[in-house]
Amino acid sequence: MQLVIEATDLPGSSCPPGADFPGYDNIHVAVQRRGSPGDLLDLHPGDAATARWVLECKTTPTPAGLDITGPYVQGRPGARFVYLSWGTVDGDGGFVMFRRAKLMWAGVDQATADAAASAGRITARLGLTDARGNPLCAAVRPPLIEWSA
């Protein structure tokens, strides 16, 4: 099955410092490979109009619902997620992560998961700017993310 992530409302190329946030410049976002924080899929600048990733995944029916696995799927069964890693990119192209968003598979309702398994594709749509205007981070569940088959 393909997991397609379609992101809009990116926060821009920089975010100013705040009370608990040092601020960053030349920010980018990418999907992080499981077990390899430095292995990133399709780095997008923070000021892009949109960002899109396509992940190849495997699904397995379980008594608790549909389980999903793949090179970019993190977590244990029942607690799967995909990391979107935010970081700065230096002049040599080096990426230094400063925060992550966890797109939680548990936020997919059973009917949507079953329809996606039959169709071979599920799409996650979300905005990537938080309420403070910074890059979205922490666990992301509906209504911040919309899952559809």
Side-chain angles (χ1 to χ4, degrees):
M1 178 170 71
Q2 286 187 330
L3 167 56
V4 179
I5 302 168
E6 296 178 347
T8 59
D9 190 31
L10 279 76
S13 61
S14 63
C15 45
D20 60 347
F21 191 74
Y24 297 94
D25 292 311
N26 199 24
I27 61 175
H28 287 67
V29 62
V31 173
Q32 176 187 312
R33 183 183 272 285
R34 180 184 67 250
S36 299
D39 189 353
L40 304 169
L41 176 66
D42 295 337
L43 198 62
H44 292 276
D47 61 356
T50 61
R52 186 173 189 271
W53 298 272
V54 179
L55 313 177
E56 293 298 329
C57 301
K58 179 182 175 187
T59 57
T60 306
T62 72
L66 194 65
D67 189 27
I68 186 169
T69 58
Y72 295 94
V73 178
Q74 315 273 342
R76 59 180 173 28
R80 303 281 193 207
F81 62 91
V82 172
Y83 268 136
L84 294 183
S85 293
W86 291 99
T88 59
V89 175
D90 64 23
D92 295 326
F95 180 88
V96 177
M97 183 182 63
F98 63 85
R99 70 177 9 173
R100 295 186 289 200
K102 290 171 84 170
L103 309 186
M104 306 302 294
W105 181 251
V108 179
D109 66 74
Q110 191 62 49
T112 300
D114 291 343
S118 293
R121 179 179 173 149
I122 190 163
T123 302
R125 291 182 183 89
L126 73 158
L128 292 182
T129 300
D130 72 11
R132 295 182 189 168
N134 291 322
L136 183 69
C137 67
V140 181
R141 296 178 177 90
L144 295 178
I145 188 169
E146 175 188 316
W147 296 92
S148 63

